[in-house]
Every structure is written in structure tokens, then in C-alpha cells.
Amino acid sequence: MEGSFSHKKVFLLGNPNCGKTSLFNALTGERRHVGNWPGVTVERIEGGREHKNFKLTFIDLPGSYSLNPFTPEEAIALTILDEASNGLFLNIIDSGNLERNLVLTFQLLEIGIRPILVFNCYDELLTKGGKINLTEVQNQTGCLAITTIAPSKKGIPELLDLIVSEQKAENRSVPMGLSDFWQSAMERICKSQGLTFFDLSPSKRLEAENILGGSTEATPDAKEIREQLFSSLSESARLTSHTSSNLACFLALNRYERIRKFISTCLTLEKEIKIEWKERLDGFLTHKIFGFPILIALMILVFWTTFSVGSIPAGWIQQALGWLSQTGKDYLPEGLVSDLLINGLLAGVGGVLVFLPNVLILFLWLAILEDSGYMARAVFLMDRFMQTLGLHGRAFIPMAMSLGCNVPAVMATKILEDPLQRLRVIFLLPLVPCSARLPVLVLLCGAFFPRHPSLVLFLLYFINLLVILILGRVSQSLFRSSRDSYFLLEMPPYRWPTPRSVFLLLWEKASHFVKKAGTVILCGTILIWFLSSFPRTVPLTQDFDEAISELSKQGPSEQIEKQIEILASKRDQEQLSGRYLAKIGNQLLPIVKPIGFGWREAILRFFMFPALQPLELFIVKVNRWGLLLFR
Amino acid sequence: MVRVKYTLADLQAGNTGTVRDIEQSNSLTNRLMDLGFLPGTKVKALCCAPLGDPLTFFIRGYCIGLRKSEARLITLDREDPTA
Ligand SMILES: Nc1nc2c(ncn2[C@@H]2O[C@H](COP(=O)(O)OP(=O)(O)OP(=O)(O)O)[C@@H](O)[C@H]2O)c(=O)[nH]1
Ligand SMILES: [Mg+2]
């Protein structure tokens, strides 16, 4: 029955953070990145599904506050206006924040687009004590309307039915357009260019509106129309109290006035319930004095739990592995093969598994930070500090995400508007130790600094941070950009991360980590095994084995055991320093000696390179970067 | 004599003011208007960041952070802030 399918394109348009991607995921079954801060989605994403003989293609877009684009991402959303007029628009509206969300809706209506109105986050409106009268909405706007709760998939089947039944996004007549005053001015502007408003495509209509609002350069004719409009508006505004010095302001005022009327007829607020804990929490988390300490404490908590709590289940895994390698040693004949199996492969696989708890805890924290709404607050707190590095506070988001994985973090740099800043952050990001690098670091710290592995690890992280700060500073003085950027960041409401979404996220991250880190670390450990076991015979200063067996013949006593131990460790050290690993380290020594490093540190630095993933980043993302930078 | 303007950046945390006007017209001010900063709108200053710069405001049912330079574009009615 392939042939009987009809195709339909459905575009998801709405304010940032209103739940477009959540809805997209619910509609298509995909698992795209969702986060409780504005600007998560930065590019057009497509996904499909079938419903009642229809093949539906859904297109998720970056959020936009209005049709007057302010960021490059919003401009992406605009490019689809005409393409979509043969498909369908879903205008996602955050019900908890109706007034501002409706600005986009009303603008769409003004230029003759008839979207399906999806009142998402309906649960939040209900808890505030509000209700939307859908029939009234449909009567007034001429659009289909529905309420949904994306994370729990409430209203999704009904929405699919609506999508299938709805015909076309564009509407020649404008059921709920601009007020007559403005509408006639707009039609006159079109006429002055020899066009008819009602025959124009949505994007052309928008152009006319922009000329009226003053954001587009106007012809002399249009200027005159604007001046007339302005003087008559100021005249009538003198009667009311609200006046303004420019037309754009009058236009926005007019729109908000219509929105206010619309809401008063379509929304019933039985009793307004204020959620006080959220306000208090916000006052606390962004407090002038406590804000910073809380942020730092949170970051320390993230790291502390990642390492210390994570090490408990890691210990169990280690025990299991130890048992496995012991039984392996017992049953396999001694030799190079068993050495490779046990010290190379098993150690490698184990090396990955042992870190799974740490990595999962790290991702759990990142999910909580992102879904709760704290990310935006962190940006708010960090902005001034980041400015001293010549970066926008938003750079904190990719930096924090980078602790998990560098690749999505590079994508997240799109929230930085200045391309030069974006480039600088992209080059700083590989310096942030991501979760896949953590095992390598722990492994090497354990191998080379057996006495204080965790201290060295923390030191490494700290040095890392310093290096990032210094390089950030240096890069700022090298590439000072003249463009002043804007802050203008909506603080999303605090939300509880849903257990389901967190679980799914962790599951995904775990399998991703095992796959990705698995290959890198497995190869790494086998390489290290090879370098530290070859050449097989190393000239020793004395025959340690002989001496040990002689000692052990003298019968068991505490002193002798100690001596044996000392001899054994001396033997191992001498052997190790004869192997390739040490030779490479010694080769590197002249480079690192001036800083006061020995060959062990040199090796450590050396092995950090395969773990640094810039190379992989380059290959995978190079085309994306191209788009990103030279857009 | 230059009259010192009373802008959103001058609003003390915890106080509520009424927007008088946004005088300039560029993409930034247009955005502020689309976000609801319009003559007659009530805005409450919530708090400022530790280093004093970005400020948060409550407007039309949601919360937004602005830098001082951005808040300065929005002039407020001079009135008794406690009223
Ligand atoms: N309570 C509630 N939360 C929701 C609902 N839909 C989405 N959310 C949450 O809202 C936040 C934002 O969701 P996203 O799907 O990332 O929003 P978006 O519109 O794609 O955001 P951008 O890509 O940044 O424009 C997430 O934390 C979601 O869990 C809903 O119906 N109810
Ligand atoms: Mg999104």
C-alpha cells in the first residue's frame, strides 16, 4: 500500500524553550537534545512518522521570539516561511507564559499563516490555576488548537489527528490580522511598490510589515506613509497615556494590546496560584553574595561525587575483574598470549567498565543542571567573569557540557553570536577534560603516581582550568572582537527533571561511552601493554629472581617477606625502565625537563594526546564547523 | 543642562517600575519590544549578579536577564517606587 500514502511536511515553530524539541521527540520517537534553557536547538532537524495513510515529515527549528530575527538561529526559522506555506505549521506555545509566546503567533496570523496552535506545557498552566478555552481560541483565530504535555505525551495522538485533517498553512484572508489602522497602511505600502498585499507570499508580507515597523529601509513613498501613520498614532495616543517615539514601539504595543484582549477572552484563571518556592530558590541561587559560592560548591559537588561516590561501584567492578584475571592466570598457561589477554585485553575492557559509574554520575549531574533551569542562572552569574576573558557568559554552557563530551559542546557553541568568540571557544573546548578522557587520566595517574593518584588527578584538573583561563585571556588579546554582544537571556522556570528522561539519557550515554571510550581505551591499553612489556629481556643490575628464590628458601618471616617485596619492586622498576615506554619517555625528556618533569610526566603528557580528541572532532565536525563559522 | 534619564538599570532590586519609552530603534530595541518592554508595562527588578552586571527582571509573567547597557535603553516613568 506504499502508493496510497500522501506526504505532508510539518514545521515546528515557537519561542525558545517552549518545548518544540520535546514535542518533536514525542511525535517522531526520536531522542533529540532537550534542555531547560533557551537556545538548545541550533539547527533544522527532520524526523518522520506515519499516521493514517500519511507520511509525515516533522521539522524542528531553533526557537524564535518573533519574526524579526535577532540571532542567526532565528533567521534559520524564518527561511522556512515560504517553503512551509505548502505544508503545515505547528505553532508551539508555552501555556505557562502565554502573553509573550503569543507575539509570534499573532505575527504569523498577521502575515496570513494559519498554524495549528499547540498549547504545550499545559500542566504548568493548570498548576497556576488557569485553563484555556479551545473553542474560543479556534473561533477567534480560525486555527485549529490543542493542548499538550510533551514529556508525558498527553495530547499527542489527538495532535496527529489534527495534523492529518488540516489542509494548508497559508490563508489568503487574514482572520485575525493587524488592526485596521495598520492593515490599511500596510496595504498602501504594498500598493506603492505595485503589489497587492493579499497576493503576496508570507515572507513578502513580512517585508511590508518590517518596512512599516521601520526595521527595513523604506522608499520615499513608504516613508511618507509611515510619517502619516506615526503622527496620527501619536495624536490618538495622547488621549491614552502610552505614547512612544517610534513606530516599531507602536506596532508592538498594538500587538500586545490585541494579545491582552485575546487572553482575557480565552483564558480563565480561577485563582492565581503563585509558586513561591521557585521564587525563593531563584533568589537564593542567584543571590548577590551566595550566588558564586553556590555555583562553585555545586561544581565541586559534581566532581567530588563523580570521583568518590563513583569509586564505590567501581571498586566492585574492579574486584570482579581481579577475580577474573586471577582465574585467568590460574587456568591459562603462562606466556605472551595470556599476558596479552590478562594484562592487555582484560585490563583494557576493565579500564573502560571501571569508569562507567564515574561517567554516569557526571552525566546525571549534567542532566540535572540542564533540565532544572540552573544553566541559565549559571550563565547569569558567570557573565561578568567570562567577560574578563572576552567571552559571553553563555560560553559557560558549552564549557560545562564539554565535561561530558566535547562534540555536543562544539555544537552548543552556536549560542554564541559572535563568530570569532565561537571560534575561540571551540578551540578552548578540547582542553576541557571530557568524560572519555577521565579514565585515561586516572589510569595514567595510577600507573605513574601510585602514591597519590587522586591528588595528581585533581592537580591535573586544576592545571587544566588554569591553562584554559590563561589561553582564554591570551586569545582575547590576540583576537579582540569589536562586536559587542548582547546578554538578553530568558531565565526559564525551574522544572523537575523527569526520572524517565534522565534514565533514557543515562542509558544512551552509557552505551555511547562504552562504544567510544571502549575503542580508544582498549587500543590505548594494548599499546601501553605492548610498550611496557617489550623488549622482553632487559639487562638488570642483578639477578633479582635468583635473589628472591634464595631469600624465600630461608623460610617465612616478616623481615624476609619485606626484603622480597623490595627486591620485586626494584626488579619491576628496572624492567620497566628498560622497556620502550621508558625509552619514549626519555626521548621526550629534553622537551619537558625545563618545566621540571621527569620521564613519567613526559609519558603522561604524551598519552594525553590520543585522549584529547581534537583530531576526531576535526574529522567528524569539519563540515559542520564550516557551516558554523562561515555562515 | 542634561537631564539625567531614569532607566531600568537604575531600578533597585525588589522595586517595580513602569516603562515610559524605548527611544532608539534598532534590532536590539525591537527585540526588547517584542519581549514586552513597552510603554506602560510594569517591570520588577529581581536581583543583580555578584559582580553587579547582568540584572534580572520580572516582566509579563516571566523572568529575563539583561546587562546594564541593555537595561539603559529602557526609560522608566519617574514615580514613587514604593507606590
Ligand atoms: N512541565 C512541562 N515541561 C515541558 C513540557 N514540554 C517541554 N517541557 C520542558 O521544557 C524544557 C524545554 O524543552 P525543549 O523541548 O528543549 O524546548 P525547545 O522549544 O526545543 O527549546 P529550544 O530548542 O531551546 O528552542 C525541557 O526542560 C522540557 O522538559 C510540558 O509540556 N510540560
Ligand atoms: Mg529545541
Side-chain angles (χ1 to χ4, degrees):
Chain A
M1 296 282 284
E2 207 20 66
S4 65
F5 276 115
S6 359
H7 291 256
K8 219 172 212 182
K9 276 190 167 180
V10 186
F11 295 81
L12 277 70
L13 213 58
N15 277 196
N17 209 41
C18 66
K20 296 175 297 300
T21 307
S22 308
L23 206 73
F24 175 84
N25 287 342
L27 285 165
T28 60
E30 297 217 13
R31 293 200 34 73
R32 296 296 180 152
H33 191 151
V34 165
N36 192 13
W37 43 278
V40 179
T41 310
V42 286
E43 59 184 355
R44 176 188 170 128
I45 297 169
E46 297 201 4
R49 87 166 283 156
E50 284 165 15
H51 187 73
K52 288 193 184 159
N53 285 343
F54 274 92
K55 268 210 167 94
L56 303 173
T57 306
F58 292 94
I59 295 121
D60 186 22
L61 295 161
S64 48
Y65 287 112
S66 75
L67 294 180
N68 316 320
F70 187 61
T71 63
E73 283 66 49
E74 291 189 326
I76 297 180
L78 267 188
T79 56
I80 48 92
L81 275 183
D82 287 337
E83 179 190 349
S85 45
N86 290 320
L88 265 187
F89 272 114
L90 295 191
N91 179 205
I92 325 293
I93 298 162
D94 178 355
S95 318
N97 189 358
L98 271 181
E99 209 177 350
R100 198 208 59 219
N101 271 259
L102 285 171
V103 170
L104 181 68
T105 312
F106 273 55
Q107 264 196 315
L108 287 173
L109 291 170
E110 281 160 20
I111 60 170
I113 286 170
R114 202 181 48 177
I116 296 181
L117 304 179
V118 183
F119 292 92
N120 192 37
C121 298
Y122 197 53
D123 50 332
E124 288 186 348
L125 182 64
L126 289 176
T127 53
K128 278 186 194 166
K131 236 184 207 164
I132 292 171
N133 184 344
L134 285 181
T135 23
E136 187 60 35
V137 171
Q138 298 190 4
N139 286 343
Q140 284 194 32
T141 59
C143 301
L144 296 174
I146 191 170
T147 58
T148 57
I149 303 168
S152 55
K153 302 201 176 181
K154 282 238 171 65
I156 300 297
E158 292 85 350
L159 177 59
L160 281 169
D161 288 344
L162 281 191
I163 290 170
V164 167
S165 72
E166 178 72 332
Q167 289 307 316
K168 220 164 165 244
E170 202 185 345
N171 197 0
R172 296 238 161 256
S173 72
V174 183
M176 204 174 160
L178 288 165
S179 310
D180 296 340
F181 225 58
W182 288 87
Q183 183 68 31
S184 68
M186 193 146 88
E187 282 167 25
R188 263 165 44 222
I189 281 190
C190 292
K191 212 178 258 166
S192 76
Q193 297 176 332
L195 303 165
T196 323
F197 176 78
F198 287 100
D199 293 339
L200 294 178
S201 68
S203 67
K204 287 272 183 272
R205 291 180 185 185
L206 184 65
E207 255 170 49
E209 196 182 293
N210 284 340
I211 292 176
L212 207 56
S215 50
T216 311
E217 208 39 56
T219 59
D221 283 345
K223 263 191 191 139
E224 204 186 306
I225 295 169
R226 273 173 48 184
E227 268 155 32
Q228 278 174 17
L229 184 66
F230 183 72
S231 60
S232 58
L233 280 172
S234 322
E235 190 64 37
S236 57
R238 208 160 286 153
L239 305 174
T240 69
S241 56
H242 310 319
T243 183
S244 170
S245 48
N246 65 61
L247 259 183
C249 196
F250 272 120
L251 182 58
L253 257 176
N254 174 278
R255 196 173 287 135
Y256 265 105
E257 182 56 28
R258 281 180 290 134
I259 289 172
R260 196 188 55 75
K261 275 194 199 125
F262 177 77
I263 289 181
S264 69
T265 52
C266 297
L267 177 76
T268 46
L269 269 178
E270 271 144 27
K271 51 177 190 310
E272 193 153 7
I273 302 165
K274 269 205 171 166
I275 306 165
E276 271 182 13
W277 67 266
K278 289 191 182 179
E279 272 175 40
R280 273 210 211 118
L281 183 67
D282 202 41
F284 187 55
L285 290 179
T286 59
H287 192 272
K288 194 166 180 175
I289 297 159
F290 304 132
F292 252 154
I294 291 173
L295 177 66
I296 292 166
L298 266 175
M299 287 331 255
I300 290 175
L301 184 71
V302 168
F303 277 104
W304 182 77
T305 45
T306 302
F307 290 113
S308 69
V309 178
S311 70
I312 299 169
W316 303 334
I317 297 175
Q318 209 140 33
Q319 274 175 4
L321 286 169
W323 177 82
L324 220 72
S325 75
Q326 194 53 53
T327 37
K329 270 186 196 142
D330 291 349
Y331 286 95
L332 288 172
E334 204 170 316
L336 209 54
V337 177
S338 81
D339 197 29
L340 173 65
L341 274 180
I342 292 163
N343 293 331
L345 275 175
L346 198 61
V349 174
V352 177
L353 285 183
V354 159
F355 292 104
L356 198 55
N358 302 73
V359 169
L360 284 184
I361 290 175
L362 184 63
F363 274 110
L364 178 68
W365 274 114
L366 286 178
I368 290 173
L369 284 183
E370 273 198 55
D371 287 352
S372 62
Y374 185 71
M375 247 348 170
R377 272 79 185 179
V379 169
F380 171 72
L381 291 170
M382 291 296 286
D383 184 55
R384 197 58 204 273
F385 174 71
M386 294 297 248
Q387 272 184 10
T388 62
L389 299 181
L391 295 175
H392 193 285
R394 288 178 201 211
F396 180 79
I397 293 181
M399 294 271 185
M401 282 170 78
S402 200
L403 289 171
C405 180
N406 290 165
V407 177
V410 169
M411 292 311 295
T413 55
K414 274 206 177 179
I415 56 166
L416 295 166
E417 268 130 46
D418 179 11
L420 200 60
Q421 260 196 44
R422 201 179 295 155
L423 190 63
R424 284 173 47 209
V425 175
I426 288 174
F427 282 108
L428 287 180
L429 282 181
L431 296 173
V432 180
C434 73
S435 62
R437 217 172 297 164
L438 179 105
V440 182
L441 289 180
V442 174
L443 209 75
L444 293 172
C445 286
F448 291 113
F449 304 95
R451 282 211 216 130
H452 312 286
S454 49
L455 186 73
V456 175
L457 190 67
F458 268 105
L459 221 69
L460 276 178
Y461 268 79
F462 186 69
I463 294 171
N464 221 310
L465 187 69
L466 280 186
V467 169
I468 290 171
L469 291 183
I470 292 167
L471 283 184
R473 194 64 225 209
V474 168
S475 70
Q476 189 218 356
S477 49
L478 287 180
F479 310 100
R480 191 185 300 273
S481 71
S482 55
R483 269 173 58 154
D484 52 340
S485 58
Y486 311 106
F487 187 69
L488 213 71
L489 182 69
E490 184 191 351
M491 301 283 141
Y494 288 103
R495 290 182 167 130
W496 289 110
T498 59
R500 207 184 89 92
S501 71
V502 171
F503 175 77
L504 281 173
L505 181 102
L506 288 186
W507 177 253
E508 198 178 332
K509 295 294 176 192
S511 52
H512 182 75
F513 171 78
V514 169
K515 258 186 255 150
K516 206 171 116 184
T519 44
V520 174
I521 293 172
L522 197 62
C523 295
T525 39
I526 290 177
L527 184 69
I528 293 180
W529 168 82
F530 174 80
L531 291 177
S532 57
S533 347
F534 285 90
R536 293 305 290 167
T537 47
V538 174
L540 301 174
T541 49
Q542 63 177 107
D543 195 342
F544 288 103
D545 288 336
E546 184 71 32
I548 289 174
S549 62
E550 209 130 278
L551 270 173
S552 53
K553 265 183 213 146
Q554 292 176 11
S557 93
E558 214 166 277
Q559 217 180 358
I560 286 170
E561 254 170 48
K562 239 184 202 157
Q563 276 180 347
I564 291 179
E565 211 173 279
I566 291 169
L567 275 179
S569 88
K570 250 195 188 159
R571 173 197 60 193
D572 290 348
Q573 263 184 12
E574 269 187 31
Q575 269 183 344
L576 188 59
S577 56
R579 301 255 151 92
Y580 291 130
L581 192 65
K583 287 186 181 153
I584 295 173
N586 282 323
Q587 291 293 317
L588 293 174
L589 202 54
I591 310 173
V592 294
K593 195 135 195 194
I595 332 172
F597 280 180
W599 69 267
R600 285 154 210 267
E601 288 87 351
I603 281 284
L604 190 59
R605 284 283 147 200
F606 181 71
F607 275 104
M608 263 173 81
F609 280 110
L612 297 175
Q613 296 162 342
L615 209 68
E616 175 207 22
L617 263 171
F618 255 115
I619 295 160
V620 179
K621 294 291 165 193
V622 89
N623 46 358
R624 282 254 173 83
W625 284 19
L627 284 177
L628 224 86
L629 298 172
F630 306 110
R631 191 178 41 204
Chain B
M1 211 182 87
V2 187
R3 207 177 123 249
V4 182
K5 272 194 299 183
Y6 180 54
T7 68
L8 198 56
D10 306 318
L11 195 63
Q12 289 298 311
N15 288 345
T16 305
T18 309
V19 178
R20 179 202 291 260
D21 199 4
I22 296 182
E23 275 151 28
Q24 296 174 28
S25 181
N26 53 42
S27 66
L28 174 61
T29 55
N30 281 354
R31 172 43 48 91
L32 288 171
M33 293 169 197
D34 286 338
L35 289 172
F37 289 93
L38 290 167
T41 312
K42 292 241 181 298
V43 186
K44 183 179 180 191
L46 292 178
C47 61
C48 74
L51 294 171
D53 199 357
L55 312 159
T56 48
F57 299 99
F58 188 78
I59 177 174
R60 294 184 192 264
Y62 71 97
C63 182
I64 189 166
L66 298 178
R67 285 202 188 132
K68 274 194 172 148
S69 56
E70 290 148 11
R72 256 182 231 122
L73 296 170
I74 301 161
T75 51
L76 296 186
D77 279 340
R78 265 185 203 281
E79 60 184 356
D80 184 14
T82 50

